[in-house]
Amino acid sequence: MKKTKTILLTALTLFGLAACGGGQGNEAPANEGSGEAQPTETAESTETAETTEGGGDFAGKTLKVAGLDGGYGTDGWNAVIAKFEEMTGATVESKFEKNISEVLRPEIQSGNTPDVIYYSVGAADSLTETMVKEKMVSDISDLLDKQVPGEEQTVGEKLIPGFADTFVTNPYGDGKTYLAPLFYSPSGLWYNKAMFTEGGGKYELPTTMEEFLALGKEAEKDGVPLFTYPVAGYFDTFLFSLAYEVGGSELFDKLMNYDPEAWKNEATPMFEVTGEILKYLNPNTVSQANNESFTQNQLQVMKNEALFMPNGSWVVGEMADAEGVADGFEWGFMAMPSYEGSDRYAFSFFEQAFVPTDAQEPELAKEFLAYLYSDEAGKLFAENGGAIQPVQNYNDYITDEQSKVYYSVYDDAVKPALGSWAAAPVVEGVDMHKALFDTINSVATGEKTIEEWQNEVVDAATKIHDAIEAEK
């Protein structure tokens, strides 16, 4: 294990130890949320060292919890920890820092590894990915069968189907769960309700891609573009949802594993459909699709200059003070239209927590993770920072009406699209994100064809796939 820790610390040094909570593959503009918790302006470290008087099975034991002090803050964690101590009689020593990976480095080196780490894949320094790669994360598959403390259901019964069965939670492809899914944020297409019949407008909300494109033609006659996007990076959730609709989780998994043949053949409808939609793009979108002007593209929806755009829930707060908004504007949110009779999907970002292999109290750690899915914990998280757990009765925790609309996307026969890129070595001169997403700007302006875009992606996937094979 000493050798493994040395490899981990070397990797963290190379990644620069810049702790942040970023979206999984979503390159949001500066100061923009991306579905994962974002760092707040002040750091807090919470140490809970007093022994509680609870009489649970774990009385007298001490659990060490470490995690990111991100956009949801730490009040929710502190409230949950206090209740857990009261319930179990255990003592929880917790610390939540903005630079938590840097704080953990010397602790892991000295053998003082926490029992639970809350730090998601997709962060700039890849701490979690590195620990997964070095087999420093415990198998917690039995967590799904554990009864939620104080309740009759098991963790698996409470979770929204699909959240515990992705490449993120099951990174080794061995059918076992290693990362527990936590706070989630669905993404989809945002629109102005006032433009559609649900808000008194003339257009019907499309439920299929055929209807979506037909609406593009209809609205074009009225001088209203069908589509816009803040920056090209926001196509991540759009394309990932579309991948599920075109080929299910099987195709998505192939694509996330950089399968060149899947990108060359099975993924072709994804490129073609996107190309068709781009024909109905607001003509000002590309010139404003940058960190300085992206809010102007979002404003297009609010001014009835575009019907739909891909985005996350942060857009509501981000545009709350926007000027020039159309009369009667009200945010609407929907999942991707279905493709050729497929189920509808909405991609969701979600965070994770895990138990390191060096944990001193692994059973207590899993008891704590199980408690995180309780109604009591869910309400405390929601009321103290707004984090929502991916459980089937999530709506019981939400009091804000706008948030209810947003999170209820999965209530209407819509399935969650979940997952992320498989771990891969860095290949000099190859940028999969740039090839897959940034090239969309060139397709929109006509500088590149759909075929050229797809070929660039296939080329990048091939080189990364070859590098993965070379490491085996």
Side-chain angles (χ1 to χ4, degrees), residues 22 72 134 172 179 185 220 243 261 317 347 395:
Y72 295 125
E134 301 303 333
Y172 303 119
L179 278 68
S185 177
E220 186 177 45
E261 290 303 312
F347 191 86
N395 214 26

Side-chain angles (χ1 to χ4, degrees), residues 362-399:
E363 293 307 313
L364 178 55
K366 285 185 282 189
E367 185 76 4
F368 179 72
L369 290 178
Y371 176 69
L372 299 184
Y373 300 104
S374 67
D375 288 346
E376 183 174 62
K379 291 175 182 177
L380 289 172
F381 279 127
E383 294 168 357
N384 296 275
I388 302 298
Q389 287 286 55
V391 294
Q392 299 193 56
N393 62 322
Y394 70 89
N395 214 26
D396 295 343
Y397 313 153
I398 302 175
T399 57

Side-chain angles (χ1 to χ4, degrees), residues 34-35 72 184-190 193 311-316 331-335 346-349 388 394-395 398 400-411:
S34 60
Y72 295 125
Y184 78 110
S185 177
S187 62
L189 297 177
W190 292 81
K193 285 186 179 181
N311 219 311
S313 62
W314 55 84
V315 71
V316 177
W331 284 116
F333 178 76
M334 74 174 198
F347 191 86
S348 181
F349 296 111
I388 302 298
Y394 70 89
N395 214 26
I398 302 175
D400 175 70
E401 291 303 316
Q402 180 66 58
S403 295
K404 285 184 177 181
V405 171
Y406 176 59
Y407 278 97
S408 65
V409 66
Y410 297 124
D411 290 349

Side-chain angles (χ1 to χ4, degrees), residues 70-88:
Y72 295 125
T74 61
D75 289 348
W77 282 105
N78 294 337
V80 167
I81 286 170
K83 288 293 185 179
F84 181 75
E85 289 181 318
E86 182 181 331
M87 173 181 288
T88 62

